Amino acid sequence: MRILGINAVFHDPAAALVVDGRIVAAAEEERFSRRKHGKAPVPFSAWELPEQAARWCLEHAGITPDQLDAVGYSYEPGLVDDELEGTDPGWEELRTRYAERAPRFLKTALPGLDPDIVHFVRHHVAHAASAALAAPFGDSAVLVADGRGESTSYLAGEYRDGKFEELAAQSLPHSLGLAYEDLTAHLGFRRSSDEYKVMALASYGEPRFLPRLRERVYTTGDGGYRTEPIDWSAFAPARPPDGEMLPEHADLAASMQERLEEVLLELAGWLHGRTGASDLTLAGGIALNCVANTRLHAAGPFDRVWVQPASGDAGTALGAALQLAADLGEPTAPMAGADLGRGWSDEEIEERLRAARIPYERPDDIAETVAEALADDGIVAWFQGRAEFGPRALGHRSLLAHPGRAENLERLNEVKGREQFRPVAPMVLADRAGELFSRGPLPSPYMLFVHDVAPPWRDRVPAVTHVDGTARIQTVDPGAEPLVARMLGAFERRTGLPTVVNTSLNTAGRPMVDSPTDALECFGSAPVDLLAIGPFAVRRPRSAA
């Protein structure tokens, strides 16, 4: 069966295609529109569909809209209770109305589509399916936490033989995600966008407000929790965007981060007690909190923890399609990798380079060329294969640098135009990761956990060692990523370091680079020394350098 999944209601609109139970394609609309997060997370944007992403998914598979068997839309408008606190007063009805009309909107966006094949899939069930039905193992407990779905903010349950059993849910207004969003805004960052900045900032503070937060955020012993209203100003003054970052801001971030981890551990303990499962799968925006994920892995009751790489709302497009496939009796296959987006042939890339009238070369081995540039302390834009689905750069759309130069952290943050407290991450060969990093699960191919940097290595790779001695690593399997592995091996031969800095190929406020044109624009506007695009190398002119 050919099933298209759509996410459109809140933010990060995306589309995904599942054919005969296998994930064929998945992409976020922002990569096409070049608008960060695709659209504003407001009720009156709910009509905006991932039209370009959906069309590309179908074109990639050679499928026309009339050949689809089903479409999953990751929101069930019939479950909305607009009288609950936590919804958007005065606007919730409009969001619901747009969602109800999604089948007709999709018919217009994808001519030939039969609106009768569009099925609403509950938001948090779509999140759950994106994790449990895509994980590399079979049955699992599943935990979903984010800002909100229709009228809930949390879901816990278990998948057995592709069937989901719900065990707990949390109604609004209580929401771990919304509480974290509120803090994000209080600290001067963008809500529903910059929560990862709060996680990074937490490492610079002390959780001295934790006792008071425990009074406001707590579990209830039945698989649920409460988030009572919090006056953040009682802890630290509101910070305007680009305002001064005070020590109490970092302390507040540290306190909320710690409380989030404690609550998630308690919820996971309750879920394990109900299921006895060995494996836990995670999705929802909170599952992108790699510090909390590591705490669940290290201190939780489950043997294994697997996180959907596109855990935010974009991933519900994939989950809606997988859930429909399971409901229709099709066995689903595990997710083989996150490289589910657009890719270009060497001929197509060279055509773009010629059209740009830019000097380029085709070295014997682009991996060796990049390793040499990195060893010489150059910054490299790396554009290879199909784009990643989700917010992490995983060796397809990356900025690379030498990890042994402490100043490269500041240098990369300047290139990207972002805050200096933000860390950058290492990619490392899977069979070498255990020498450099500990505590977190290995392998870790999706950069969704933090690991302790082994003390002997902290001075050797200072650019990727965060202030708390950790790193959010990506392990590289040569079988799955032979080109990246070859580059890492070539870099180690030159430097003795089996790891390089890896951060997303974009600048602040812009989506990750997706197409060759995007890559050339980013290279032209940022002080990057080399663009490795397919087998080709584009160098910064020496006079410009």
Side-chain angles (χ1 to χ4, degrees), residues 145-197:
D146 62 4
R148 59 161 291 198
E150 296 84 359
S151 295
T152 58
S153 63
Y154 164 81
L155 180 67
E158 183 177 24
Y159 272 89
R160 288 188 180 275
D161 299 322
K163 303 297 183 183
F164 177 63
E165 179 186 3
E166 178 179 334
L167 297 173
Q170 180 57 59
S171 296
L172 296 171
H174 305 287
S175 169
L176 292 170
L178 290 180
Y180 210 93
E181 284 185 22
D182 287 345
L183 176 58
T184 300
H186 185 78
L187 294 176
F189 304 125
R190 187 182 178 192
R191 179 190 300 271
S192 296
S193 174
D194 293 345
E195 283 71 26
Y196 57 93
K197 297 182 182 181

Side-chain angles (χ1 to χ4, degrees), residues 195-248:
E195 283 71 26
Y196 57 93
K197 297 182 182 181
V198 178
M199 180 184 70
L201 180 62
S203 298
Y204 290 84
E206 296 294 331
R208 60 189 178 96
F209 304 122
L210 182 58
R212 291 161 67 186
L213 287 180
R214 284 174 175 153
E215 297 174 0
R216 313 305 296 168
V217 182
Y218 52 90
T219 57
T220 52
D222 57 358
Y225 59 84
R226 295 290 182 270
T227 54
E228 306 294 351
I230 300 172
D231 178 8
W232 300 108
S233 296
F235 302 95
R239 172 182 171 267
D242 301 322
E244 181 184 4
M245 190 69 72
L246 302 174
E248 51 262 48

Side-chain angles (χ1 to χ4, degrees), residues 143 145 154 156 176 210 214 217-221 223-225 256-274 280 282 286 289-305 439 449:
L143 189 153
Y154 164 81
L176 292 170
L210 182 58
R214 284 174 175 153
V217 182
Y218 52 90
T219 57
T220 52
Y225 59 84
M256 185 59 189
Q257 175 67 31
E258 176 70 19
R259 188 57 188 145
L260 173 70
E261 295 170 23
E262 290 177 346
V263 168
L264 289 174
L265 274 173
E266 291 175 29
L267 294 173
W270 179 90
L271 181 59
H272 184 265
R274 287 292 304 271
L280 175 67
L282 301 173
I286 284 179
N289 191 306
C290 54
V291 178
N293 294 344
T294 301
R295 184 86 174 267
L296 281 172
H297 170 265
F302 294 93
D303 296 336
R304 293 185 293 181
V305 178
R439 186 168 65 106
F449 298 87

